[in-house]
Amino acid sequence: MDGFWPRPRVVVSACLGFAAVRYSGELIPDRLVAALREHVDFVPICPEVEIGLGVPRPTVRLVRTGGGLRMLQPLTGEDLTERMEVFSRGFLSSLGEVEGFILKNRSPSCALKDAKVYAHADQGGAVARGPGLFARAVEEVFPLLPKEDEGRLTSARIRGHFLMRIFALARLRRVDDLPGLMDFHARYKLLLHAHHQAATKALGRLLAEAKGKPFGQVRQAYEEGFLRATRTLFRLPAMADALLHAFGYFKRGLSPKEKAHFLDLLAGFREERVPLEAPLALLQSWAKRFGEEYLEAQALFEPYPRALMDLKSS
């Protein structure tokens, strides 16, 4: 099934294995980014280099002032805020279609949430944390797209969620007619159910009422609904409910011991004693055994290329 996966286009901080552009002149190898190169088309970018700062370069800081948040370089006294904002707007407006962003954490330009904010340009002691200036522009221009920093992607659950979304989006954007979109929805039904049941039903209604409407508008509305539905990590009870729904397809063919074993696994999953992979593997084996093609095709079992499912948390 790996060959079926289209390649998502993902913007990535250039310092994460592409170029030695960190303020210190470092290149930062990243295991996930390296593994993704075979499956993703990357767009590397270093906003600080793009606005003319050298490598290595004096430290840049985010400073809270009476006029708002500023990007300052204490050693030179330069205010780089407008240069960064102009570059960010220009780059993002000319970027074209992308499926996601992997950005450097703690960076005053690229951090999504954890850049240090100071009260003074030349004094220590951060007073807050927040997004870097480039990342803030990314959120404004692409509020629904998947975005993570390389630090958070070391978590298996966060990494799986991010990969599911970028590969689903790449697949969705290659659908070119309503029957194809309905097939996509059918493949992602259980996975959507595990994230947001009400949104799943709303997407179903959207497709049911789509006949006769311009397909481009329908797909755009579906894409926005899909991204909103999957914006946050699945909750364990909702995922357990999706697994139980799949289990219902096999009740008549299973022995009492098999049923009891699955329900024990499901209880363990709900209590965080059993990993998701255990009940998933059992359900997938039963789908093959009983020839349940609808279940075999579910993205829940393979939400992104199988080669990436073997990555371990660091």
Side-chain angles (χ1 to χ4, degrees):
M1 191 173 178
D2 276 20
F4 173 77
W5 292 105
R7 295 173 67 89
R9 188 166 179 250
V10 176
V11 177
V12 62
S13 291
C15 59
L16 297 176
F18 292 90
V21 290
R22 283 280 282 166
Y23 71 95
S24 56
E26 291 175 280
L27 174 73
I28 305 171
D30 186 87
R31 193 162 54 90
L32 175 62
V33 170
L36 282 175
R37 286 194 189 216
E38 292 184 28
H39 307 275
V40 166
D41 291 328
F42 278 121
V43 182
I45 189 72
C46 176
E48 292 172 26
V49 169
E50 292 295 328
I51 65 170
L53 302 184
V55 181
R57 55 186 171 273
T59 300
V60 170
R61 278 186 169 184
L62 296 180
V63 180
R64 184 184 291 165
T65 69
L69 194 68
R70 311 298 295 179
M71 176 179 276
L72 307 177
Q73 194 170 48
L75 187 65
T76 64
E78 280 195 271
D79 186 332
L80 304 167
T81 312
E82 289 186 9
R83 281 161 63 182
M84 181 59 74
E85 289 176 344
V86 168
F87 162 73
S88 299
R89 287 194 299 268
F91 173 78
L92 295 172
S93 65
S94 63
L95 183 57
E97 199 167 68
V98 294
E99 279 71 51
F101 293 79
I102 299 176
L103 300 177
K104 182 72 190 75
N105 65 359
R106 298 193 291 271
S107 160
S109 55
C110 288
L112 289 164
K113 295 179 180 178
D114 59 358
K116 291 181 179 180
V117 178
Y118 296 85
H120 305 282
D122 54 357
Q123 294 180 23
V127 295
R129 290 181 184 268
L133 291 195
F134 176 73
R136 188 170 66 180
V138 168
E139 183 62 29
E140 290 171 358
V141 177
F142 300 106
L144 294 179
L145 285 190
K147 310 168 200 71
E148 282 295 351
D149 66 52
E150 89 290 1
R152 279 173 50 87
L153 287 172
T154 59
S155 159
R157 191 172 173 196
I158 291 172
R159 180 172 63 249
H161 180 240
F162 176 79
L163 294 178
M164 176 275 288
R165 296 183 82 218
I166 64 170
F167 280 97
L169 187 54
R171 179 185 278 181
L172 173 58
R173 285 175 168 175
R174 284 156 180 80
V175 173
D176 56 10
D177 57 24
L178 186 56
L181 190 54
M182 289 179 168
D183 180 65
F184 176 93
H185 185 67
R187 284 177 177 270
Y188 280 83
K189 194 84 171 281
L190 286 179
L191 199 151
L192 281 165
H193 183 95
H195 280 86
H196 201 300
Q197 294 181 29
T200 305
K201 292 177 181 177
L203 288 170
R205 288 194 299 272
L206 171 71
L207 295 179
E209 299 166 1
K211 193 173 181 180
K213 297 180 180 178
F215 177 69
Q217 292 179 16
V218 174
R219 185 173 63 180
Q220 183 62 32
Y222 186 94
E223 178 181 311
E224 291 178 8
F226 182 91
L227 289 173
R228 290 183 192 280
T230 59
R231 193 167 194 169
T232 58
L233 294 169
F234 68 79
R235 294 179 299 107
L236 263 63
M239 177 60 80
D241 192 53
L243 297 173
L244 194 60
H245 181 79
F247 174 63
Y249 281 77
F250 313 116
K251 278 188 175 180
R252 293 182 181 178
L254 298 174
S255 70
K257 282 187 176 181
E258 286 175 313
K259 293 176 184 177
H261 176 55
F262 176 79
L263 293 174
D264 282 345
L265 280 179
L266 193 61
F269 170 70
R270 285 179 183 272
E271 297 164 7
E272 299 186 72
R273 294 183 289 103
V274 171
L276 175 60
E277 289 77 12
L280 275 182
L282 195 53
L283 288 169
Q284 191 173 26
S285 70
W286 286 339
K288 295 179 186 297
R289 172 177 153 191
F290 293 107
E292 289 287 353
E293 293 183 3
Y294 171 75
L295 283 183
E296 282 192 74
Q298 285 298 301
L300 182 65
F301 296 120
E302 190 175 323
Y304 46 87
R306 186 164 294 279
L308 297 174
M309 297 175 77
D310 296 330
L311 292 172
K312 305 298 182 185
S313 295
S314 61

